[in-house]
Amino acid sequence: MKISETVTVNEQNHLTIDGKDAMNLIKKYGTPLYVYNVSLIRERARLFVDTFRKLGVKAQVAYASKAFSCIAMCQLAAEEKMSLDVVSGGELFTALRAGFPADRIHFHGNNKSESELRMAINAKIGCIVVDNFYEIECLKRLCGELDTQVSILLRVAPGVEAHTHEYVVTGQEDSKFGFDLFNGQAEEALMKTLDDTFFNVLGVHSHIGSQMFETEGFVLAAEKIFNQLLNWKKKFGYFPEVLNLGGGFGIRYTDEDRPLPVSDYVEVIVEKIKSLAYEARVDIPEIWIEPGRSIVGDAGMTLYKLGSQKTVPNTRQYLTVDGGMGDNIRTALYDAKYTGVLVNRVYDQNETTYAIAGKCCESGDMLIWDLPLPTVKEDDYLAVFSTGAYCYSMASNYNRLPRPAVVFVENGEDKLVVKRESYEDIILNDLQLNEI
Ligand SMILES: *Cc1c(COP(=O)(O)O)cnc(C)c1O
């Protein structure tokens, strides 16, 4: 039985994930546990890729691996014909170890170190998304030293900033990322790279925000960028092959979130760029996008064992899980909203509203402030939904809690893809003060 697009329940009233009883996963792997519905990840990826194909434009759908990076996920992204965004040497290393095709890896970041850039150049990755003048100089030096050329996109700040429920347009964008599109910086960056033999300037990139529920932000950014590109075409005779509009496609965390189907975003973006190109009589550039959250977010959930409770009379009923901000810091960090159910009693009548707390030594270590559940008994387990993005990837060992395992489930088959950390792992890099 299906309660939503992502959640199903079996005859025992247990939550199931892509055909697998979640209680079996708990028995096999313990808690806390991150579990991914792999069929759903594939479905999300295919919708992006297929929509571009249907619309007949050249495109790359680059999975923003910072949302959830591990070797298995990079391999899944490769299987689904996605490209891959990395933002650090660590994410790049993971992708390369996964055997991800280097020519489809794009490297982002506002302070890439020389050794990270060297690693990227040596691996012959597809492109480096250049963020600032410091990086241009560093790349020039490295390309000279390594006697090579790099393909780049220039990251521009188009002065469109998207928020969850609204977007704002600022004249001069106050952001640490990219070259301002209108104050001369982006143009200067283009001049510095265009005639330099070390650089193959593929085009421009912008990423305007996250967890967006409308398409206006993308349309606005595309218009602003296109106008500037046409100016540059007149001035320098240069028109880019690639226009990358970033990620930020919203997902459902709770019923209050109403995301558009990802095909809608893609259609709007493609139609806009087609019409801009048609009006200006230029070739339609290749369109790249970079979904992270919308690929993995609602395909993942976290399973916890429920433990201690505390009643604050007339105020709140606290209920504690065996994890918390170590495996999901988003509530503490962004006041993120989640929902969940009892894994082992999904359809039992809700009777109590609980405040779901973590076990870390921080009052702010909360997962959900008000979750209606059946009255909780011993040996009840909680599933928190839509934890697939920015939870494992932001996980920490705060309080020296080992990070949970990650399990992939596909058509009833489960596979461990990241082992649970052990206490030995926790002290792996620790050294004795006095060597014995
Ligand atoms: C974070 C990020 C993304 C992905 O954002 P989502 O909200 O997860 O889709 C894409 N591109 C860039 C440059 C980013 O920094």
Side-chain angles (χ1 to χ4, degrees), residues 24 47 66 115 173 181 205 223 228 261 334 349 394 431:
N24 291 346
L47 192 52
K66 71 173 195 250
S115 72
E173 199 185 24
L181 191 56
H205 168 277
E223 281 173 350
Q228 191 61 292
Y334 312 122
Q349 190 66 40
M394 289 186 172
L431 301 172

Side-chain angles (χ1 to χ4, degrees), residues 119 205 270:
M119 186 175 161
H205 168 277
V270 169

Side-chain angles (χ1 to χ4, degrees), residues 108 129 153-160 173 177-179 181 203-209 212 217-218 220-222 224-225 242-248 288-290:
H108 280 277
V129 184
L153 295 181
L154 295 173
R155 176 158 185 170
V156 299
V160 179
E173 199 185 24
F177 295 110
F179 301 100
L181 191 56
V204 295
H205 168 277
S206 88
H207 172 73
I208 57 171
M212 284 183 272
F218 289 105
L220 221 65
K224 289 182 151 217
I225 293 169
V242 173
L243 178 52
N244 186 330
L245 288 175
W288 293 6
I289 56 164
E290 309 175 309

